[in-house]
Amino acid sequence: MLSKTYSNTIVSWNDLKLEAEKSKIPLDLDLLQLAYELANQAHQGQLRATGEPYIHHPLATAKKLIEMQMEQDVVIAGLLHDVPEDTSVTIEAIEKDFGSKIAKLVAGVTKLSNLKYRGLERYAENLRKMFIAMSADIRVIIIKFADRWHNLTTLEGLKPEKRERIAREALEIYVPIADRLGIGGIKTELEDLAFQWLQPKEFAWLQNEIASSLPMLEDNLNQMEIELKSIFIKDQVKIISQSSRRKGLYSLYKKLINHDRDLNRIFDLIALRIIVPDISSCYQALGSIHAEFTPLPGRIKDYIALPKANGYQSLHTTIFTKRGDHSVIDGRQVLEIQIRTPEMHEQAEYGITAHWHYKEHGATKADTEQLKWVKDLVEWQKHISNEDLVDNLKMDIFKHRIFVLTPNGDAINLPEDATVIDFAYALHTDIGNSCVGARVNAKMVPLNTILKSGDVVEILRDKNRKKPNVDWLSFAVTSGAKEKMNRKLRELDA
Ligand code: MN
């Protein structure tokens, strides 16, 4: 169970075909086969560093894309993604056989692989390229995720420095982007694979620790599943399914480091996931559980009313599984429960891509926000040095996000540690420039006040005021606010 995603599995054309037949998304097998034959021809005689025929790589990439519920153009582009780069078959030839949409996707992926820089410079350049490719067509990044995922399963053929570079890039660039786009499935796999290569000793240590705790936790979980089942029947709560999920190894590792490496202090190594048909059933299920089992204070999270910035929604709670004495809090006596609808589950696994196949429902609010985020990034990165790019991104993507509300109840998405002035500029440049004060939860506060999720913020303005105060730069944390202020200040200087 532990190592299912961590080793290379050979994918043949037949395996890909079987996967395509199972796919929920309709795929044209004949066209897929034509793409396979072209790729197979083109890569004829080439070997991977691991010694296997090259074609295994595009086949594995395409299979991963099918598992990620990608549509036909993306799967075909996945099969062809290394053809123009490594063989004599050109983009023009691909366009002639498969049309301009697929050719464009392949060209987008090819562009992203021509890297020239090292260190910080290279990191910043990679980020820039990524954002531009994403804004042109976000599916290019999805193909890169699948490509990098397979590369990470076949690193043993490479020299240590190259291994490390590829794993580090995955962790520092692809993982935060996948996270920000809400694609939890591939994010966790990329992260765990990179972790395995970057910290092999820690990885092995963690696998051992888990192996010794897991059986007991699983017993506990199975018993809860049975108990809850009868509670839900008694309370007439509609349930679709109950299942368990194990926390990703890398995210578990990061948590353990902050908890004295003591697995008993981690409450969500495995969690029970309950899928219910609709939102009201989510709250009913939570109510039923809390009526029977004492919840741990401070661990009830309503991501339905206040979704995470990447669109994630669920109710979370952690309960004592034993009735009676709750004086000792230990991971062995508590259980995290996540309650969600099937739609929320799809969103959590596939993020921004979850809705592509249900066009009749239109884009969700989270989708629109994510696409806007990508466009903003592209605009913003044009005006900034490599060093600032990397620093600011650490703030913007790598940090957790909060939701702050306007008096009308619109949720504005900001990084943790954002201040009132960041909020003002996130609403509009003019609101920022004319800002003279603010009320947070109806109390007057200074502009450098750090906001929390759920704060209601009202910006007080002087309509005659049209410029930022230079001091604001010292406590603004978002790149957006800083950029808008700097632009205005430059204008006034000129
Ligand atoms: Mn590749």
Side-chain angles (χ1 to χ4, degrees), residues 235-370:
D235 292 351
Q236 297 184 308
V237 181
K238 283 173 270 163
I239 298 292
I240 294 176
S241 65
Q242 298 194 59
S243 60
S244 66
R245 78 100 183 88
R246 201 198 73 226
K247 196 175 182 61
L249 288 174
Y250 187 64
S251 82
L252 175 63
Y253 177 71
K254 281 191 296 186
K255 215 169 182 177
L256 268 174
I257 295 299
N258 292 322
H259 290 83
D260 305 326
R261 292 182 176 252
D262 181 358
L263 210 52
N264 293 326
R265 293 181 54 197
I266 305 293
F267 300 159
D268 63 344
L269 170 55
I270 52 176
L272 181 62
R273 193 169 274 164
I274 302 173
I275 311 279
V276 301
D278 47 48
I279 291 179
S280 69
S281 306
C282 290
Y283 291 101
Q284 277 171 24
L286 185 73
S288 258
I289 295 167
H290 285 174
E292 295 283 336
F293 298 96
T294 310
L296 261 72
R299 292 191 54 101
I300 305 166
K301 296 193 187 116
D302 186 347
Y303 294 119
I304 295 180
L306 287 173
K308 290 191 188 177
N310 64 12
Y312 178 85
Q313 288 189 298
S314 277
L315 297 177
H316 288 193
T317 185
T318 304
I319 54 163
F320 292 97
T321 55
K322 306 276 180 295
R323 294 165 172 96
D325 180 21
H326 297 152
S327 53
V328 189
I329 300 182
D330 181 312
R332 288 166 295 196
Q333 287 138 28
V334 300
L335 179 66
E336 177 170 307
I337 299 181
Q338 305 173 348
I339 308 166
R340 52 175 76 160
T341 65
E343 293 76 28
M344 292 174 195
H345 184 63
E346 293 252 307
Q347 174 74 34
E349 282 295 303
Y350 306 114
I352 193 165
T353 71
H355 309 280
W356 289 350
H357 320 299
Y358 311 105
K359 292 258 162 57
E360 69 270 25
H361 295 174
T364 64
K365 187 147 184 261
D367 290 347
T368 322
E369 282 216 11
Q370 279 161 351

Side-chain angles (χ1 to χ4, degrees), residues 382-400:
K382 289 181 193 156
H383 315 285
I384 193 162
S385 75
N386 282 345
E387 217 143 307
D388 288 349
L389 179 83
V390 172
D391 277 357
N392 279 316
L393 272 178
K394 286 199 175 124
M395 180 57 75
D396 268 6
I397 328 188
F398 302 86
K399 278 219 131 186
H400 293 288

Side-chain angles (χ1 to χ4, degrees), residues 43 48 54 57-58 61 78 81-83 85-86 109 113 143-144 146-148 150-151:
H43 292 296
R48 298 274 288 166
Y54 197 90
H57 169 62
T61 304
H81 80 270
D82 278 330
V83 163
E85 171 128 18
D86 301 339
V109 178
S113 9
I143 298 171
K144 286 301 288 183
D147 174 39
R148 183 55 53 106
H150 185 248
N151 285 339

Side-chain angles (χ1 to χ4, degrees), residues 6 22 26 68 83 96 106 115 125 194 398 411:
Y6 308 119
K22 292 198 303 214
M68 292 170 73
V83 163
K96 203 172 134 263
V106 175
L115 307 171
E125 281 315 312
F398 302 86

